[in-house]
Amino acid sequence: AQSVTQLGSHVSVSEGALVLLRCNYSSSVPPYLFWYVQYPNQGLQLLLKYTSAATLVKGINGFEAEFKKSETSFHLTKPSAHMSDAAEYFCAVSAMDTGRRALTFGSGTRLQVQP
Amino acid sequence: NAGVTQTPKFQVLKTGQSMTLQCAQDMNHNSMYWYRQDPGMGLRLIYYSASEGTTDKGEVPNGYNVSRLNKREFSLRLESAAPSQTSVYFCASSQGRSSYEQYFGPGTRLTVT
């Protein structure tokens, strides 16, 4: 079984400040990990993914995430927040041994960016 | 290349009514999925189809049925809608095999009164 925990349902930062969104996962086998972003009234868009290559993964819009096996974490960061980053962010895990390859999602973190 | 499309965008049903949500992808993907999104719960898998001709239950399948009509299309049917099925429904697809990356449609917002 696999699961994802996102710490903090709401995060507020000032424009230009560091963004840190936390994600911890549980998986009995090596996982694939994803971050998705959802803007209001839209579907989910892939930000970045970890698929057992480099542990530091760079995504779109200046976001990156680091896979830390010892901490079972995959936190999302961005050095400098922009107003356009305001959205909901979802961490997801997919275990490599499952035939269905469906994603298990965290409950989401809503990012607010203050001017 | 439209990606994943869903119809309708919005729907209001009365309790007991039925309806079918349509999903189509033009990326030649093998696998397709239906999720529902509820506040504070992320997305939960309803049904999935690993390949054309196969379907299987996900985490919350009760009250739903699916049909993988062909490689492109995967529909979700509510036979007798209930207020607990008020949600936003997302369809997704992926290449399958070695690729786990999923592409999502814009969603259908369903209200059951």
Side-chain angles (χ1 to χ4, degrees):
Chain A
Q2 56 204 35
S3 64
V4 173
T5 301
Q6 290 185 242
L7 297 175
S9 58
H10 289 81
V11 170
S12 182
V13 300
S14 298
E15 192 173 19
L18 171 72
V19 175
L20 171 61
L21 305 183
R22 300 178 186 274
C23 172
N24 288 89
Y25 70 91
S26 172
S27 177
S28 57
V29 296
Y32 283 3
L33 293 159
F34 304 83
W35 275 100
Y36 282 85
V37 61
Q38 184 180 32
Y39 298 102
N41 299 314
Q42 294 188 26
L44 278 71
Q45 178 183 1
L46 182 68
L47 268 181
L48 49 80
K49 62 183 178 182
Y50 166 77
T51 56
S52 75
T55 56
L56 182 61
V57 181
K58 293 187 185 300
I60 61 172
N61 300 339
F63 284 93
E64 63 182 37
E66 186 172 8
F67 173 69
K68 292 188 176 180
K69 184 178 179 180
S70 61
E71 299 177 9
T72 61
S73 68
F74 190 57
H75 301 330
L76 182 71
T77 60
K78 182 174 181 179
S80 177
H82 192 273
M83 296 296 290
S84 61
D85 295 327
E88 190 153 21
Y89 293 80
F90 292 93
C91 183
V93 62
S94 182
M96 290 193 288
D97 70 337
T98 57
R100 68 180 191 184
R101 297 184 175 84
L103 297 175
T104 299
F105 284 86
S107 55
T109 297
R110 187 169 298 278
L111 176 66
Q112 189 175 24
V113 182
Q114 307 281 4
Chain B
N1 189 345
V4 179
T5 57
Q6 293 182 235
T7 55
K9 284 186 167 42
F10 301 93
Q11 184 71 49
V12 178
L13 291 178
K14 293 187 188 307
T15 298
Q17 288 185 318
S18 63
M19 79 161 295
T20 300
L21 281 64
Q22 306 286 354
C23 173
Q25 52 91 9
D26 62 2
M27 296 174 282
N28 200 35
H29 283 171
N30 292 304
S31 302
M32 297 185 75
Y33 310 83
W34 276 106
Y35 294 90
R36 60 177 288 172
Q37 183 180 28
D38 302 293
M41 301 187 74
L43 279 76
R44 294 179 292 168
L45 182 67
I46 305 171
Y47 270 92
Y48 67 98
S49 171
S51 61
E52 186 178 354
T54 68
T55 61
D56 212 337
K57 295 178 181 179
E59 183 184 353
V60 288
N62 291 344
Y64 306 95
N65 285 301
V66 291
S67 295
R68 183 74 182 267
L69 305 169
N70 47 55
K71 192 171 186 179
R72 289 187 65 248
E73 298 171 288
F74 188 39
S75 62
L76 178 72
R77 183 162 179 83
L78 286 70
E79 290 291 352
S80 178
S84 60
Q85 294 178 304
T86 293
S87 187
V88 182
Y89 292 85
F90 288 99
C91 178
S93 71
S94 70
Q95 179 58 37
R97 295 190 178 92
S98 62
S99 172
Y100 290 73
E101 181 175 332
Q102 293 187 15
Y103 296 82
F104 285 79
T108 294
R109 188 173 296 271
L110 175 67
T111 301
V112 183
T113 61

